[in-house]
Each structure stands twice: as structure tokens, then as C-alpha cells.
Amino acid sequence: MKIGIGSDHGGYELKEELKKYMIEKGIEVVDFGTNDLSSVDYPDYAKLVAEAVINKEVERGVVICGTGIGISIAANKIKGIRCALCSDTYSARMSMEHNNANMIALGGRVLGVDLAKEILNAYLSANFEGGRHLRRIEKISAIEQSML
Ligand code: RB5
């Protein structure tokens, strides 16, 4: 599996931890920055990771800011992105099983590193169930199309 990861300064430290964790697990990781704790704007990193997901450069994306809120809102502006802000393992699993979320967002100032790893595991090990959930996702896409 190939995962794109990106953060602003508020998510930088957690990004580095999760990047290391995924690499140790044999997951290929593409890091879209940021690369230090200097203040940056989270929409720039949301866009980089989301575009890589849409272009199929990576299979899924993980984005992190202080709360996870701003970066998830920004990622969801990219057509075709379903980015779920997750602070627990149940939501992370369901975001894939029911919502086929192609990205998750995490709060670097909200989560401890161990919980963030568990959330990431729950998301990465889950699979989309399809069926009635596919119909609902298609309705989300229809809303997106209607807003052009
Ligand atoms: C940056 O200070 C902070 O606003 C950002 O990381 C994020 O929490 C926004 O939603």
C-alpha cells in the first residue's frame, strides 16, 4: 500500500511519528511536507495530498493539522475526496467500511501518538463494504457534480 501524508506545523510532529511507524510496517509513504515546525497554511498541504490521491499517485491520504479540522475541510474541497476527521478507532474503521474515505485527518494537538497509530491502523486495515453504502457515496458524488 502507498500512502500520502502531509501536515501543517501543528501536525508536523505527529506526521513524523506516523511516517516512521508506517515505514516500519512496510508501507510505502510519500511525504508532502511540511518539513519543520515553521508556521505554514494547512490548505496548501491538504491540496498536495488530496491531488495525489485523485491522481492515483497514492492509494490513500493522511493529513494532520492541530485539530484536524482545517485540513479535513480543505481536503474535502477537492472533487472526489472523502476525508474523514477521526479521533477514535471505531470512526476510523467505519470511515472506510461505510464511507470509503480516501483520506483521513488527525489532530496533532488532540491525539497522543499511540492512539493516533491505532486510529491509523484501524483505517488502513479496513475495507469498503459496498452495497447500500456505495449507493450513498454515489449520492455524495451527485451532489458534488450538481455544484459545478
Ligand atoms: C494552526 O495554528 C492551526 O490553526 C491548524 O493547525 C489547525 O488546527 C486548523 O484547523
Side-chain angles (χ1 to χ4, degrees):
M1 189 179 281
K2 194 171 175 182
I3 300 297
I5 194 166
S7 76
D8 73 354
H9 53 290
Y12 170 71
E13 287 165 311
L14 183 57
K15 174 174 72 69
E16 293 302 301
E17 292 285 348
L18 294 182
K19 183 171 71 175
K20 197 168 46 168
Y21 177 65
M22 287 192 280
I23 291 168
E24 280 166 9
K25 284 170 69 80
I27 295 170
E28 196 178 344
V29 181
V30 182
D31 184 352
F32 290 90
T34 188
N35 298 316
D36 58 39
L37 289 168
S38 314
S39 181
V40 292
D41 299 333
Y42 56 80
D44 298 334
Y45 299 91
K47 185 168 184 279
L48 288 172
V49 178
E51 285 178 342
V53 171
I54 293 302
N55 296 336
K56 299 195 188 316
E57 189 187 329
V58 295
E59 287 166 57
R60 299 190 200 176
V62 178
V63 283
I64 311 165
C65 66
T67 58
I69 296 170
I71 208 158
S72 62
I73 292 171
N76 279 313
K77 297 297 178 191
I78 304 288
K79 197 170 158 190
I81 289 297
R82 291 177 302 280
C83 180
L85 171 56
C86 295
S87 297
D88 65 274
T89 57
Y90 176 75
S91 299
R93 178 166 64 83
M94 296 305 280
S95 77
M96 175 48 64
E97 291 185 355
H98 285 194
N99 311 115
N100 198 15
N102 46 15
M103 293 180 63
I104 59 165
L106 304 170
R109 295 172 181 158
V110 177
L111 302 170
V113 173
D114 286 353
L115 176 57
K117 287 177 183 174
E118 287 188 22
I119 290 169
L120 184 60
N121 265 333
Y123 171 64
L124 295 180
S125 58
N127 294 301
F128 182 48
E129 287 178 359
R132 66 188 187 283
H133 304 298
L134 178 60
R135 182 179 71 241
R136 292 160 187 165
I137 281 166
E138 286 170 346
K139 288 191 177 186
I140 296 174
S141 300
I143 294 170
E144 204 170 44
Q145 294 294 342
S146 74
M147 299 305 288
L148 290 179

